[in-house]
Amino acid sequence: MPVVIGAGVAGVTTALLLSKKLGYRMLVAAKHMPGDYDIEYASPWAGANYMPVSVSGTELAKWDKNTWGPLADLAANHPEAGVHFQKCEIHSRTKDLGSATADWFAELLTQFRQLPKEALGPGIDSATAFTSVCINTAICHPWFVSQCLANGVIFKRVIFEHILDAAGGGLHPNGNVDLIVNCTGLMASKIGGVQDTTVVPARGQIVIVRNEADRMLDVSGTDDGDGEACYVMTRAAGGGTILGGSYQKGSWESQPDPNLAIRIVKRAVKMCPALTNGKGIEHLDIIRHGVGLRPVREGGTRIEKEKIDGVWSSYGCAQAAVDLIEQAFESRAKL
């Protein structure tokens, strides 16, 4: 039976798809579970939204495309999942090379259009508008767990020193672990037997406020440094509005930087005056500051199978992992 290591969005989505498609009594084993807030655990800190930047024709673009349908279905038919449709604008500056949205985006999302020049703010060279989804991870992540539980998936808190510890006796109720699905995210850089040194953190710092924005907004870059970003998104079901942010590659710092926080709120209010009805940052009602470490891998997401003697993007990546697992079991059945 398969064991999924990791209970972030990748782990629970993979477990859910496996339990639905293959009927396995899955086990998800992880150090952190939905509801936890820890610097090692990226999923709870995510905004989150659907805004791919992958290049058409690549494997990543395929995974991104395959993710939109399930997310749109959740927004349309499952309000309890904490996913909702939201108008979105991406403002681009010519000097921010390589920051444009995916070239296939217009074919997928509704109401996609270019904004007229007269609608652009100072320093913005072009902008696109469309309808996407915003995900309240505080609701959506536990909802995925509930769907897993309804399919018989078992969850256990376990800390593994080595990837093969997941195959040890007594972990799975059936006692026979013949496949391990590694969804450890950032911890893939540290766990024994994997230690993928190409996986590094990209530190994200956010400010969560009670003020609401009338749309999701994102700017292609800032003048405050390459590791800083500017975006605004209001979560569904009273989840507050996320003001971001940063993309500080290689940084493991877990504590919010107060100076960065000030820059974040200043950029957000300038980009979206509706947050404070045209007033200053002192009119923001702050809930909390947060820091999360995105798992980033040099060369892109790794989804592959490996035989050991003695792999996110959400739905699209999880489906690719499920396909590999099916192939693995089919190969074994033919032996």
Side-chain angles (χ1 to χ4, degrees):
M1 287 295 166
V3 170
V4 175
I5 305 178
V9 65
V12 296
T13 306
T14 300
L16 179 59
L17 293 182
L18 280 170
S19 64
K20 283 182 174 180
K21 190 169 184 179
L22 304 181
Y24 295 134
R25 193 172 183 222
M26 298 291 306
L27 171 68
V28 176
K31 179 179 180 180
H32 303 292
M33 292 287 176
D36 294 356
Y37 283 90
D38 190 276
I39 195 61
E40 295 179 353
Y41 192 42
S43 294
W45 303 104
N49 61 17
Y50 180 85
M51 202 177 295
V53 294
S54 52
V55 177
S56 181
T58 63
E59 194 74 7
L60 180 56
K62 183 177 75 172
W63 299 335
D64 285 342
K65 288 179 181 179
N66 290 344
T67 296
W68 172 249
L71 288 180
D73 177 67
L74 291 180
N77 302 310
H78 299 278
E80 71 277 11
V83 181
H84 69 143
F85 290 113
Q86 196 169 98
K87 293 180 179 179
C88 181
E89 292 182 9
I90 297 180
H91 297 181
S92 299
R93 310 184 311 171
T94 302
K95 59 185 176 182
D96 301 321
L97 297 177
S99 60
T101 51
D103 51 1
W104 48 265
F105 223 47
E107 304 171 6
L108 193 67
L109 303 182
T110 61
Q111 301 177 350
F112 193 98
R113 67 193 188 281
Q114 294 286 332
L115 294 181
K117 288 282 186 181
E118 56 269 22
L120 307 183
I124 302 301
D125 298 298
S126 64
T128 54
F130 49 88
T131 298
S132 186
V133 294
C134 184
I135 304 161
N136 185 345
T137 54
I139 296 175
C140 190
H141 203 176
W143 183 83
F144 270 107
V145 173
S146 71
Q147 299 303 297
C148 285
L149 292 172
N151 277 9
V153 177
I154 301 166
F155 288 80
K156 283 189 177 182
R157 285 186 182 268
V158 184
I159 298 176
F160 296 112
E161 298 297 329
H162 194 283
I163 192 75
L164 291 182
D165 292 345
L171 184 65
H172 199 292
N174 291 349
N176 181 27
V177 175
D178 47 16
L179 190 141
I180 299 169
V181 185
N182 179 13
C183 295
T184 52
L186 184 58
M187 292 303 104
S189 65
K190 295 186 175 183
I191 189 169
V194 180
Q195 294 176 316
D196 189 342
T197 57
T198 64
V199 178
V200 297
R203 181 182 181 274
Q205 180 169 324
I206 58 172
V207 181
I208 307 176
V209 300
R210 293 182 177 86
N211 311 63
E212 293 190 357
D214 57 350
R215 59 208 154 149
M216 286 192 288
L217 291 163
D218 183 274
V219 180
S220 61
T222 79
D223 291 328
D224 294 327
D226 293 338
E228 300 195 20
C230 182
Y231 53 86
V232 172
M233 63 188 84
T234 298
R235 287 172 163 178
T241 297
I242 307 294
L243 311 181
S246 68
Y247 193 90
Q248 298 169 328
K249 203 168 177 180
S251 174
W252 290 81
E253 177 55 55
S254 63
Q255 299 305 305
D257 176 348
N259 293 320
L260 174 55
I262 291 173
R263 293 195 296 273
I264 287 173
V265 297
K266 283 183 175 179
R267 291 193 297 255
V269 169
K270 181 179 179 180
M271 178 178 65
C272 184
L275 280 169
T276 58
N277 295 318
K279 300 176 182 178
I281 63 172
E282 64 274 11
H283 292 274
L284 289 172
D285 189 355
I286 296 175
I287 300 172
R288 68 175 180 271
H289 299 266
V291 174
L293 302 181
R294 308 172 182 91
V296 177
R297 184 174 182 274
E298 300 289 346
T301 304
R302 177 187 179 192
I303 301 178
E304 58 189 43
K305 57 186 176 182
E306 178 181 6
K307 182 179 180 181
I308 306 175
D309 294 324
V311 214
W312 116 242
S313 186
S314 186
Y315 274 93
C317 284
Q319 184 59 59
V322 169
D323 293 342
L324 277 183
I325 291 167
E326 283 190 292
Q327 293 172 21
F329 278 108
E330 287 174 0
S331 299
R332 188 185 63 181
K334 293 175 182 177
L335 295 176

